[in-house]
Amino acid sequence: MARPQPRPLGRVLGIDPAAAGATGFAVIETDGRDCRVLHYGAAKPLRGASPAGRLAGIHKLVAKLLQDFSPDAVAVESSFAALNVRSALLLAEVRGVVLLAAAQSQVPVESYSPREIKAKVAGSGQASKQQVQVMVRSQLQMKELPQPHDAADAMAVALCHIHSQRVRARMVRALSPRDAS
């Protein structure tokens, strides 16, 4: 029985959710070898917005990005054990609306831990924000460091997904039975 081939990756929407600050986003495109950034930024919640209004704004942003760029996948940073339970819950709410928007658009989602993202993009799970930012600039062949940090982090999430998909594709090829001819 032939193993399914991984779907070629074209575009990835990377999301760096934030509990209180800005949620970073980036759309990265790859041809399988090189990557380039199509769009990026960070969305800060409106001052005085209710918690529901803040989440609605993030949902609207992600839904618009999904509609405008038609990514093949959404990559999102996973929650981590925060020092503050309230912060962890707020972060989970933001991730929830991102996952909802992706599900509504029928786009698959992959989650990556902060340590995994840093390791795939910067070579060390202990990399600093500045090291990640420099590696993102290098891998996307950008002239300047991507700003703000939230957007650079979203680019790193998308790049992590692209690197992970490349490794998965190699494994599938390596484990596939060879033709007897």
Side-chain angles (χ1 to χ4, degrees), residues 16-24 42-46 54 58 87 90-91 94 148 150-151:
D16 177 38
T23 293
K44 290 187 178 184
L46 295 174
R54 182 177 52 83
I58 292 169
S87 294
L90 291 172
L91 185 59
V94 173
D150 306 295

Side-chain angles (χ1 to χ4, degrees), residues 28 33 39 60 66 87 91 122 126 137 162 170 176:
I28 306 293
R33 293 184 75 122
H39 184 66
K60 184 177 179 180
L66 289 164
S87 294
L91 185 59
Q126 301 296 321
R137 180 190 71 191
I162 290 167
R170 279 190 226 125
S176 294

